[in-house]
Amino acid sequence: MTRPLRVSVVAPSGVLGGAELWLLALLDATDRLSVDAVLLADGPLREEFARRGVPCTVRPTGRSGASIAGSAAWLTRRLRADRPDVVLANGVKAASVAAPAAWLAGVRCVWAKHDHSHDGPLMTVLALLCDGCVATGAELIAASRHRDAVLVPFPAPGRAALPRETARQELLRRGVRLGQDELLLLAVGRLVGYKGVDDAVTALAQPGTSRWRLAVVGPDDPAQPGERERLTGLAASLGVADRVDFTGWLREAWQFIPAADAVAVLTKPTGSGPSQESFGAVALEAMLAGVPVIATAPGPVSERVAPPGADPAGITVAPGRADQVAGALRQLEDPDLRSAMGAAGRRGADAHPGAEKSAALLVRTLAETARLTGTGLEGTAAISVVTTVKNEAGVIDQLLDLLVPQLAVDGDEIAVVDGGSTDGTTQRVESWTSRDPRVRLLSAPGTGISAGRNTGIRAAGNALIACTDAGCYPAPDWLARLRAAAGEAESASLLTGVYRVSGGGGPVARALALVGYPVAEEARHPGPWTRLYCRYLGREFDATLPTGRSVAFTRAAWEDAGGFPEHLRTAEDVLFGRAVVAAGHRAALVTSAEVGWEQRPTLRQTAAMYFHYGEGSGWSANPLLLGRDTARAVAYTAAVAACLRGPAARRVTAATFLAYLSLPLTRAVRERRWTALPAVPLVAVVRDLSKAAGAAHGLVGRLRSVRAHGAAPGPGGPS
C-alpha cells in the first residue's frame, strides 16, 4: 500500500450540520487519507476533528468580500508551505475561500456541494476554479455547473440503531418528557427557521393531535442564535409548551430515531440556498429505522419518501402548512399505517450506499483530481503487460529486467510481440521465456506498433492490460501503481501513466527535454501561469491522450474503442485514448506510474521524430491533434508576416514569442539548466515546424488515399 493521500479540508463553520456529518462519516470510513483541517468559524466540529486526531486551525472568516479575500490570501500562503496533494472545500463559503487560494498556490481543489446556496453566477466561477466537484444529491450535479461532478451521497449508518424501548429510555434520560401512551414526533437538525420546526410546534395545537409530543434534537446555529427562544415562545403562546422538548445536539442522533412514531422533515424551500433540502439524511435514517416521515413537497426528500408508483414511506405536506402537518399526525395515529409505511421505508432505503462505498467514491475523486489515482490502495487484479519490439536487442533485456520483478500477482504476464526482428531480439526474449513462463514471445512479422499491440492484447489472459515500449525504463513500482489505480471504486477504464524524459547530454539535448515534453510535477501542482499555458498551448499530461510508453486499460475499453488504429504509424496511442473516451469510458491520470525514456540524441533525429508525430496527426484527421499542428503553422506564418511590417510589429512578435517560451524557460531556471537557455528558442522552432510539416504531409497523404480508394484510410493504410 502506498502512502495516504494528503488532504487539506476547509470547512465553512464549526457547527455540526448535515454537511459536516457527511464529511465526518466518510473520513471515519477510510484509511486512505491524511487530513488536516481549516475551519472558517469555531464550534463543535473542531472538537470532532480533535477526537479523530486531525490537526485543526480556526481562521475566523465573515461573510464580507474583504474577509473572504483575506482568508483566501492567508490560505494561499499556508498551502504553498504545506503542499498537500489536494484541497477539499466542504461547502460554498469554503470553496469561495479555498478555490482561489488553491489555484494561486498550485494545489488542486475539490469542492463538495451540499445544497443550492448561491446557485447562479458564483457556481460558474467555482466550477472554473475547482478541479473537481462532489455533490451529495443527484440534482446538485447539474446545479454545480462542473463538468466532472460526481455523486457522493450521504451514507447510510454503518450499524443498526437502538431498539425502540432503549431509544425511548435514552431520550427520557436526555430530558424528553415522554408519557407511556404518547406518540413521539421527532425533528432532527440545526435550529434554523427554514427547517420548519415551528410548523411542527403549531401542528400540536391543532384539533386531534393531543396524543403527540415533539422532541427537537439539534444544536443552536450561530446564524440564528435566537431560534430556540422563538420556538419555545411559540409553544408557550399556543399552550403546547408541556409537549415540546429540546435535547440539544446528540452525537449519532440517528440511533434515537426508533423511539419516534414519526419523523418531521419540514424544510421550507425558498427556491435556492440551503433551505431547499437537497438530500435529507434524516429522512433516509428514518426510513432505514422503519419510522414514517412527514416531509414537505416537492423536492428530492418527498420523492424518496413517496416515490411515484411505489408504496409511500410517509406523508407529504406543503411547506409552511401546519394544518397539513396536523392532518398527517392524525393519520399516523393508526398503528397499522405506521407499520406499513415503516416497512415501505425500509424497502426503499435498503440499497442505499453505506459509509465505506461513499467514502471510496470521495477518495477516488480526490485522488483522481490530485492526479494520484490509486494512492493509498494495494491493487489485486492480475495484469497482462504488452510490449512490441523490432530490432530492440540492445534494450529488451533491460526492459524485462525491470518488468519481471513487478509480476507480483498470480496471473501476471508479459507478452512481447515481435514484428520481425533480425538483430537477435527474439533470441534474447526466448532466453527469458525459457527461464520464466510468465514471459511470452508472440511472433507477428510485418506488424507495426498498433497491430502488434492488438495482437498481444488478443492473446493476453487478463482483463487489465498495460503497455510500455522497449527503450523505456519502468520505475520499480510502475505496475503496482497502475494496479492500485485499477482498484479504485468504479475505477476508470483508461489509466494514463507518465514518463520522465532524460535531459542529459549537451545544451541542445537539455533544451529538447525542457521544450518538448510534459512534467509530472506540473500535473500535480500547476501554478496559475502553468495552468493557463498548458490549457491553451499544450505540454501537459492529459488522461484522455495517453502514450504507449505508460498506459493501462481494460479489455472492454479496448474492444469498445475498436483497438489501436492500425492504419497509423504514429499518434495511434492518443487516438486510441480519444476513442476509449468517445465510447463512454472514463480516463484517469496516474502520475505515480512513471517510466523513464531517453529522447533522441540529436536535434536532427528529434526533428524527424516530431515530423512523424505530425504525420500521424495528419493521417488521423483528428480535429484536436490536427488543429494544434495547423495552429502552429498559422502562428509562425503570421509571425514572419508581422516581422516584415516594421519595428513595432517585430517588438510585438518578439514579446509574443517570449511568452510562448515562458514555460520551458521557467523550467530551465527552476532546474538550473543555465546552458540550455540559449538553445530553447531554436529547439522550439524546430519542434513546431517539424510537427506542422509532418501534419501537412500526412493530411496530403490521407487526401490522396481518399481520392485513390474512395474512402478514408483504414486498417490497410500506411503503417
Side-chain angles (χ1 to χ4, degrees):
M1 182 180 293
T2 58
R3 66 167 177 83
L5 192 72
R6 294 183 58 237
V7 182
S8 286
V9 171
V10 180
S13 69
V15 301
L16 286 169
E20 292 73 28
L21 295 176
W22 170 87
L23 175 63
L24 293 173
L26 301 195
L27 293 182
D28 288 343
T30 181
D31 60 357
R32 292 182 56 194
L33 304 180
S34 174
V35 179
D36 67 83
V38 172
L39 300 185
L40 303 183
D42 203 357
L45 180 59
R46 177 171 55 82
E47 299 171 6
E48 290 298 310
F49 279 134
R51 289 180 60 242
R52 292 163 172 81
V54 174
C56 186
T57 301
V58 178
R59 167 76 185 189
T61 305
R63 297 183 178 182
S64 69
S67 182
I68 289 174
S71 290
W74 171 85
L75 184 60
T76 301
R77 295 190 294 271
R78 178 187 174 97
L79 294 175
R80 282 175 177 164
D82 294 347
R83 301 289 279 182
D85 296 320
V86 66
V87 173
L88 174 60
N90 196 39
V92 174
K93 183 178 178 180
S96 299
V97 171
W103 201 85
L104 291 171
V107 179
R108 295 193 178 273
C109 181
V110 173
W111 159 43
K113 183 170 175 60
H114 296 276
D115 53 45
H116 291 275
S117 295
H118 303 285
D119 282 358
L122 181 57
M123 296 300 100
T124 301
V125 175
L126 293 180
L128 288 173
L129 290 176
C130 292
D131 302 281
C133 177
V134 295
T136 56
E139 81 288 352
L140 295 175
I141 292 179
S144 73
R145 303 191 181 183
H146 198 288
R147 64 179 184 179
D148 296 323
V150 176
L151 176 63
V152 182
F154 198 99
R159 60 185 190 277
L162 295 173
R164 175 177 171 82
E165 289 306 317
T166 304
R168 289 172 79 90
Q169 290 300 317
E170 289 296 324
L171 287 181
L172 284 170
R173 290 179 54 240
R174 287 162 173 80
V176 177
R177 299 164 292 177
L178 186 57
Q180 185 67 32
D181 296 325
E182 283 186 316
L183 299 172
L184 179 63
L185 176 64
L186 193 64
V188 182
R190 293 175 294 117
L191 298 184
V192 288
Y194 65 78
K195 289 293 185 180
V197 176
D198 52 352
D199 295 325
V201 172
T202 304
L204 295 188
Q206 301 288 318
T209 62
S210 59
R211 288 188 61 197
W212 286 91
R213 170 174 294 279
L214 173 65
V216 182
V217 177
D220 296 320
D221 192 306
Q224 295 186 27
E227 180 64 8
R228 183 191 295 262
E229 287 71 21
R230 185 181 78 87
L231 293 172
T232 55
L234 175 64
S237 67
L238 294 174
V240 294
D242 60 331
R243 291 194 284 135
V244 178
D245 299 309
F246 296 86
T247 69
W249 178 69
L250 300 179
R251 181 175 284 112
E252 297 185 326
W254 59 270
Q255 291 193 86
F256 305 103
I257 288 177
D261 298 285
V263 167
V265 182
L266 302 177
T267 311
K268 302 178 183 182
T270 59
S272 66
S275 59
Q276 184 175 346
E277 197 79 55
S278 59
F279 178 73
V282 174
L284 168 70
E285 291 160 352
M287 291 168 67
L288 288 168
V291 176
V293 180
I294 303 174
T296 49
V301 177
S302 63
E303 291 170 5
R304 185 181 298 113
V305 170
D311 294 332
I315 299 172
T316 60
V317 298
R321 291 293 302 273
D323 59 327
Q324 293 186 15
V325 177
L329 293 176
R330 287 192 290 269
Q331 291 183 61
L332 290 172
E333 288 194 9
D334 181 353
D336 292 335
L337 179 62
R338 296 199 303 271
S339 178
M341 287 184 168
R346 287 195 179 97
R347 291 193 299 270
D350 186 58
H352 191 83
E356 289 188 2
K357 183 173 182 179
S358 290
L361 289 173
L362 173 64
V363 177
R364 187 206 75 192
T365 304
L366 293 171
E368 287 188 2
T369 302
R371 309 306 193 249
L372 290 167
T373 309
T375 295
L377 275 177
E378 184 174 354
T380 58
I383 300 181
S384 296
V385 182
V386 174
T387 187
T388 60
V389 295
K390 185 175 181 180
N391 295 331
E392 303 285 2
V395 294
I396 188 60
D397 283 320
Q398 186 171 12
L399 176 63
L400 294 176
D401 267 330
L402 294 169
L403 283 178
V404 168
Q406 300 188 39
L407 304 179
V409 172
D410 288 344
D412 281 353
E413 62 177 354
I414 301 172
V416 182
V417 184
D418 183 72
S421 296
T422 58
D423 67 343
T425 299
T426 56
Q427 289 82 0
R428 291 181 179 276
V429 177
E430 286 171 346
S431 175
W432 280 92
T433 63
S434 65
R435 300 194 305 269
D436 193 328
R438 297 174 299 177
V439 180
R440 291 193 291 158
L441 174 64
L442 304 175
S443 181
T447 58
I449 292 176
S450 287
R453 287 192 187 124
N454 290 336
T455 297
I457 294 165
R458 290 188 194 100
N462 295 308
L464 183 61
I465 315 294
C467 290
T468 189
D469 294 334
C472 293
Y473 310 103
D477 61 350
W478 175 72
L479 206 56
R481 297 284 190 167
L482 291 173
R483 197 193 314 274
E488 290 279 10
E490 301 176 17
S491 66
S493 300
L494 176 64
L495 302 168
T496 299
V498 300
Y499 59 93
R500 188 176 298 275
V501 178
S502 169
V508 172
R510 289 192 287 271
L512 284 169
L514 295 168
V515 168
Y517 309 102
V519 176
E521 287 80 2
E522 291 173 355
R524 291 189 289 265
H525 291 287
W529 178 243
T530 302
R531 285 178 183 266
L532 294 173
Y533 188 103
C534 290
R535 176 174 297 179
Y536 296 108
L537 297 176
R539 292 192 184 88
E540 68 175 342
F541 286 110
D542 185 331
T544 67
L545 300 174
T547 169
R549 301 177 190 119
S550 179
V551 66
F553 45 87
T554 63
R555 182 180 296 277
W558 172 78
E559 291 172 347
D560 291 345
F564 284 87
E566 297 185 6
H567 66 285
L568 296 178
R569 181 171 60 180
T570 59
E572 80 294 335
D573 40 15
V574 295
L575 264 295
F576 169 73
R578 300 293 288 183
V580 168
V581 174
H585 295 275
R586 281 195 317 108
L589 191 60
V590 191
T591 62
S592 55
E594 183 177 293
V595 303
W597 178 68
E598 290 185 2
Q599 61 183 336
R600 301 296 186 268
T602 67
L603 183 60
R604 181 175 181 177
Q605 289 175 313
T606 300
M609 179 186 71
Y610 276 111
F611 180 88
H612 290 310
Y613 286 168
E615 196 174 26
S617 299
W619 268 101
S620 73
N622 179 269
L624 175 64
L625 303 181
L626 187 57
R628 287 180 175 179
D629 294 329
T630 302
R632 291 186 178 96
V634 171
Y636 277 99
T637 302
V640 172
C643 288
L644 297 176
R645 293 178 63 86
R650 284 195 290 273
R651 286 193 293 271
V652 172
T653 301
T656 303
F657 189 55
L658 185 62
Y660 176 64
L661 297 177
S662 60
L663 183 60
L665 291 174
T666 300
R667 291 173 176 174
V669 172
R670 184 176 63 225
E671 299 175 18
R672 302 182 182 276
R673 302 284 190 178
W674 309 117
T675 58
L677 278 171
V680 165
L682 170 65
V683 167
V685 171
V686 170
R687 168 191 180 273
D688 292 342
L689 294 183
S690 297
K691 278 209 76 177
H697 186 266
L699 184 59
V700 169
R702 176 187 173 90
L703 294 175
R704 287 175 176 170
S705 177
V706 170
R707 285 198 298 269
H709 303 290
S719 61

